[in-house]
Amino acid sequence: MNGAQALIESLADCGVELCLANPGTSEMHLVQALDQVPRMRSVLALFEGVCTGAADGYARMSGKPAATLLHLGPGLANGIANLHNARKAGSPIINLVGNHPQYHMGYDAPLTSDVDTLARNFSCWIKSSSTAQSLAGDGVNAWTASMRANPDSQGQISTLILGADAAWGESKGKVSPPAIPKRATVDEAAIRDVANVLALDEPTLFLMEQQALSADALEFAGKLAAQHGCRIMSGTFPGRVDGGAGRVKLERLPYFPEQVEASLAGIKHLVLVGAKPPASFFAYQGSSSLLVPDGCQVHTLARVEEDAVDALARLSELSGADNATISRFELGDMSLPTGPLKSRHMLQVIAASLPENVIVATDSGAGNAAHPVCQSAAPHSWLSLTGGSIGQGGPVSTGAALACPDRPVLALLGDGGAAYTIQSLWTQAREQLNVTTVIFANRKYNILNVEYARLGVTEVGPIAESLFDIGNPNIDWASLARGFGVEAITVDSCESLADALQQSWKTPGPVLIEVLC
């Protein structure tokens, strides 16, 4: 058994069931190993950013790491934007990056690069000196590091950079998997500190991220909110949160700093549960970066690596909230609007058309705006743009569909972000994934128009306008989709959008809906 097969066998024994691959010459022995270990499913993507984004979506929905197979430094570099998003989401991922043998490095061949430096931007664990004898063990260590805090993920990204000689050399065999790492338990003093805050009966807000947004954690948080009148809120772009009718009512931190300041005004105590203090997404002249209100005390109930579910459960019991009646989202008016696709009507159509238990992935302004509207719709899971790097929606929806083949998936994409990773459609077609992709074709980077206006610019000059405009020439999304093997339709009214969405849920495999707006 060579090092490559020992590595893949060991990862499969750890429970790694999926490899998202875009291999090259340096990875041929790993490809051969995947052929010999069919229990690890191998899925090809045409671009490395699709591999990494799909691994992110898979992790958010399954709580388990997928492997990516990437070709040297340039291949890893192509995937970094979505690895950035995955790091912010707390997604466990194991990157397998092929490299030249050490004896070949000194010749500065065309694909030689400093892969370690690239990997440091997002990796919690890196190994680049594997031998054929150590490779299987290094793979198991990469898995352990990626599962730092389980279940209900706050995972990490591990990157194993392996020379081709480590893959083709003779191995001692596979390595047995260790126990799944467990989360640290919150100290009792932190529980009592927050219980004392609740007893003060002063305006209090729980800011929740990562494991604190799991279903079990939100049940306890909902009891605390009902019993003590405190507010519970997610960050602006949570990695995953389950919402819709019947789910615990949860606020969401706004995007712009002045909106955050208005939302948090009057809060005397900010309790962090798997979260960091709120900061402005971007820096603005004359605006504070840290958005904690003046006079507000910040308390930490659970750090990101600690067991937030256990901490909230203990706090609920200690503060007498266990029998409180939780406030939940209720099903609203799901009547369909008619006529032209105005923004508000478009979002209402999407909410009214959501099927039960759908997974929604988004990286667009319109997709983000749809979130509050959809809280009065069918129960769903929402996967947000955690790191702000657009081009994640298509890949993340692909990974979510691979993780949950029994659930429908809806990708809400802006046309700017969709152009980054449109290759996702090909993988969806090849694997016959039940993904409905909606592209809002407004022919511009609309968020940049908004940000430009925030500078106080009232007249946009021709150069600036050209840099925000992606309508010259117009992209024919329906034709692109068909070229990738995906059924497509273009809509321009509420009625046609509603019909297209309803038809997509009945159609096996992927569908693209181009929305002219």
Side-chain angles (χ1 to χ4, degrees):
M1 181 183 294
N2 64 19
Q5 185 175 350
L7 169 64
I8 299 302
E9 291 271 15
S10 299
L11 289 176
D13 285 352
C14 288
V16 179
E17 298 171 341
L18 176 66
C19 180
L20 295 144
N22 189 282
T25 301
S26 299
E27 295 77 47
M28 287 298 98
H29 288 85
L30 288 164
V31 171
Q32 182 185 39
L34 290 167
D35 203 39
Q36 294 166 334
V37 189
R39 59 196 170 111
M40 185 184 294
R41 181 179 181 182
S42 299
V43 173
L44 177 64
L46 301 183
F47 175 61
E48 293 89 342
V50 176
C51 294
T52 55
D56 181 13
Y58 177 88
R60 294 195 208 184
M61 292 309 303
S62 70
K64 300 185 295 185
T68 69
L69 180 57
L70 309 173
H71 185 41
L72 295 105
L76 178 60
N78 282 342
I80 283 180
N82 278 328
L83 288 169
H84 165 79
N85 290 325
R87 181 177 71 85
K88 294 291 186 178
S91 294
I93 295 174
I94 302 168
N95 295 312
L96 305 178
V97 185
N99 204 6
H100 298 306
Q102 189 62 41
Y103 67 79
H104 193 67
M105 296 294 286
Y107 297 100
D108 196 23
L111 277 168
T112 301
S113 64
D114 186 349
V115 187
D116 292 64
T117 297
L118 292 170
R120 286 191 192 101
N121 290 281
F122 50 81
S123 303
C124 72
W125 183 97
I126 302 171
K127 180 70 181 289
S128 58
S129 58
S130 297
T131 65
Q133 289 73 35
S134 72
L135 187 55
D138 293 338
V140 169
N141 289 337
W143 175 84
T144 302
S146 75
M147 296 289 282
R148 175 182 67 175
N150 198 63
D152 294 319
S153 202
Q154 148 67 30
Q156 300 183 115
I157 300 173
S158 300
T159 302
L160 179 57
I161 306 161
L162 54 148
D165 52 344
W168 72 48
E170 190 64 24
S171 168
K172 294 181 291 186
K174 65 180 184 178
V175 173
S176 299
I180 295 176
K182 294 187 179 296
R183 287 179 174 270
T185 302
V186 171
D187 187 80
E188 186 66 23
I191 307 291
R192 293 193 175 278
D193 173 61
V194 178
N196 292 335
V197 167
L198 293 174
L200 296 173
D201 198 27
E202 295 180 339
T204 300
L205 183 143
F206 282 63
L207 185 60
M208 307 171 68
E209 290 278 18
Q210 304 290 353
Q211 192 211 25
L213 294 176
S214 65
D216 290 343
L218 286 176
E219 289 292 316
F220 291 114
K223 292 178 180 181
L224 291 166
Q227 180 70 23
H228 300 288
C230 56
R231 295 164 61 191
I232 57 175
M233 179 180 285
S234 77
T236 308
F237 298 113
R240 173 185 173 178
V241 63
D242 294 341
R247 300 280 169 69
V248 176
K249 190 173 285 187
L250 178 73
E251 299 180 64
R252 194 171 186 177
L253 194 72
Y255 177 76
F256 289 114
E258 63 271 17
Q259 296 171 336
V260 176
E261 290 169 346
S263 179
L264 302 188
I267 294 296
K268 297 298 182 185
H269 300 276
L270 176 64
V271 180
L272 304 177
V273 195
K276 297 178 181 179
S280 178
F281 206 80
F282 293 104
Y284 298 96
Q285 295 181 62
S287 178
S288 175
S289 293
L290 185 65
L291 301 177
V292 177
D294 291 340
C296 176
Q297 297 182 44
V298 179
H299 312 264
T300 299
L301 176 64
R303 294 182 175 85
V304 69
E305 70 276 8
E306 294 178 319
D307 192 334
V309 177
D310 176 73
L312 288 163
R314 288 157 59 197
L315 178 61
S316 176
E317 181 181 17
L318 183 62
S319 66
D322 274 355
N323 296 318
T325 302
I326 297 171
S327 180
R328 300 182 185 275
F329 290 117
E330 297 179 358
L331 191 65
D333 177 14
M334 290 293 107
S335 58
L336 287 166
T338 59
L341 278 170
K342 297 179 181 178
S343 295
R344 178 169 57 88
H345 291 163
M346 181 171 62
L347 302 182
Q348 288 175 332
V349 171
I350 290 169
S353 302
L354 284 187
E356 195 88 4
N357 216 26
V358 67
I359 302 167
V360 184
T362 180
D363 64 3
S364 66
N368 193 47
H371 179 266
V373 182
C374 291
Q375 300 319 301
S376 299
H380 58 265
S381 299
W382 202 278
L383 312 181
S384 300
L385 178 60
T386 50
S389 181
I390 61 174
Q392 80 142 39
V396 163
S397 67
T398 303
L402 287 165
C404 304
D406 57 333
R407 296 179 64 177
V409 179
L410 174 64
L412 300 175
L413 311 182
D415 47 4
Y420 285 34
T421 48
I422 194 63
Q423 307 93 332
S424 302
L425 296 177
W426 184 86
T427 299
Q428 292 170 17
R430 181 179 174 122
E431 302 296 325
Q432 279 299 287
L433 303 178
N434 289 318
V435 179
T436 296
T437 297
V438 175
I439 295 182
F440 302 105
N442 60 9
R443 319 297 191 196
K444 55 190 173 184
Y445 290 121
N446 197 46
I447 186 61
L448 298 184
N449 283 312
V450 174
E451 294 286 4
Y452 206 50
R454 288 171 63 82
L455 295 177
V457 178
T458 56
E459 294 185 11
V460 179
I463 294 176
E465 186 176 28
S466 72
L467 295 177
F468 303 156
D469 171 31
I470 56 173
N472 181 25
N474 289 341
I475 300 171
D476 187 342
W477 293 105
S479 293
L480 277 175
R482 294 185 191 105
F484 282 117
V486 173
E487 184 176 330
I489 185 171
T490 300
V491 301
D492 60 1
S493 68
C494 291
E495 294 91 336
S496 59
L497 175 57
D499 289 345
L501 285 166
Q502 291 299 336
Q503 185 59 39
S504 76
W505 307 128
K506 303 173 186 176
T507 303
V511 175
L512 181 135
I513 302 171
E514 178 184 25
V515 179
L516 302 179
C517 55

